[in-house]
Amino acid sequence: MSALVLYDDELDEDCYRVRLFLSLLGVEARRVVVDVVPGGEQDSAAFRAVSPAGVLPVLRMDGQAVCGAQAVLLALAHGRAEWLPEGAADFARVVHWVQFAGGPLRAALLMRRASLFAGVGDEQSARRRAAVAALRIVEDHLAHRWLDGGQWVVGEGPTVADIALFPTVALCRDWGEEHSAYPALRRWVRAVRALPGFVTMPGIPDYG
């Protein structure tokens, strides 16, 4: 594999997903800092040449620009069975949760961006309900996994599904949703933080 180049923003949680996964893999990438607009996209012509949709993160690997957190995570996990299982059932479960992070759970990411950059007004109430509902789905799933003897989202160890979900869950206090209502999520956040190679970002809680 040729040298990796990551187009990155320090406070963007999608970029953090990729930085975290690279660190857990022990893989280095040259970082190119991109100043983003509050919505999380970059409109400069130079960046559009790298990412036509203006989306971060972008990882250049093997001469190809891979755009968007979910795509980058799956590209990095490809061929690493411990992070992306090869069995059809577990593979499907992992991809489901990766897509959930970029689908229903994205309401929580957007709540954080609105809270940090634009302020949260009454117009955000519907999005907040959607964000809380998505968090509750993850909470309930992890609670059932715990009752069945499992610690992780899928399987016996951490997978790319855990990495896809982690930042949005861990950062929900940035938009006022406290973790006290989510005991399974708190337990899981501690488990992810304990992984060798874990790196943090501002806003990630440290429960000790």
Side-chain angles (χ1 to χ4, degrees):
M1 180 182 292
S2 59
L4 303 180
V5 180
L6 175 64
Y7 293 82
D8 183 32
D9 173 53
E10 184 69 24
L11 295 180
D12 184 271
E13 63 190 77
D14 275 338
C15 293
Y16 170 60
R17 289 177 224 282
V18 175
R19 294 197 307 272
L20 173 59
F21 196 32
L22 286 169
S23 183
L24 294 173
L25 293 174
V27 174
E28 294 186 357
R30 180 171 65 86
R31 290 174 62 190
V32 177
V33 177
V34 178
D35 293 326
V36 300
V37 299
E41 296 180 347
Q42 170 54 256
D43 287 325
S44 74
F47 184 69
R48 291 279 180 171
V50 177
S51 175
V55 175
L56 281 173
V58 178
L59 185 69
R60 184 168 289 281
M61 54 190 303
D62 296 329
Q64 176 69 42
V66 184
C67 305
Q70 284 72 42
V72 173
L73 291 177
L74 290 172
L76 286 171
H78 179 70
R80 295 180 166 97
E82 69 275 25
W83 290 100
L84 185 61
E86 296 175 351
D90 279 349
F91 176 87
R93 293 186 187 101
V94 167
V95 172
H96 163 79
W97 286 108
V98 172
Q99 294 302 317
F100 185 89
L105 194 60
R106 191 164 182 81
L109 178 150
L110 296 175
M111 280 296 300
R112 175 177 179 267
R113 287 180 179 171
S115 180
L116 292 179
F117 300 114
V120 179
D122 292 340
E123 70 279 3
Q124 296 291 339
S125 60
R127 180 172 287 162
R128 183 183 183 89
R129 289 194 297 273
V132 169
L135 287 175
R136 180 55 57 184
I137 289 172
V138 184
E139 165 74 13
D140 291 347
H141 174 73
L142 288 170
H144 283 103
R145 290 280 298 143
W146 182 262
L147 290 174
D148 290 338
Q151 184 178 22
W152 304 100
V153 173
V154 177
E156 299 303 314
T159 67
V160 70
D162 296 276
I163 310 310
L165 295 168
F166 176 78
T168 304
V169 169
L171 291 166
C172 68
R173 296 192 303 182
D174 281 352
W175 51 273
E177 188 66 14
E178 294 295 330
H179 290 154
S180 57
Y182 305 94
L185 291 179
R186 284 175 59 93
R187 182 170 53 237
W188 172 73
V189 167
R190 286 195 295 267
V192 174
R193 287 190 61 102
L195 291 173
F198 177 85
V199 292
T200 190
M201 72 167 281
I204 299 291
D206 183 0
Y207 297 128

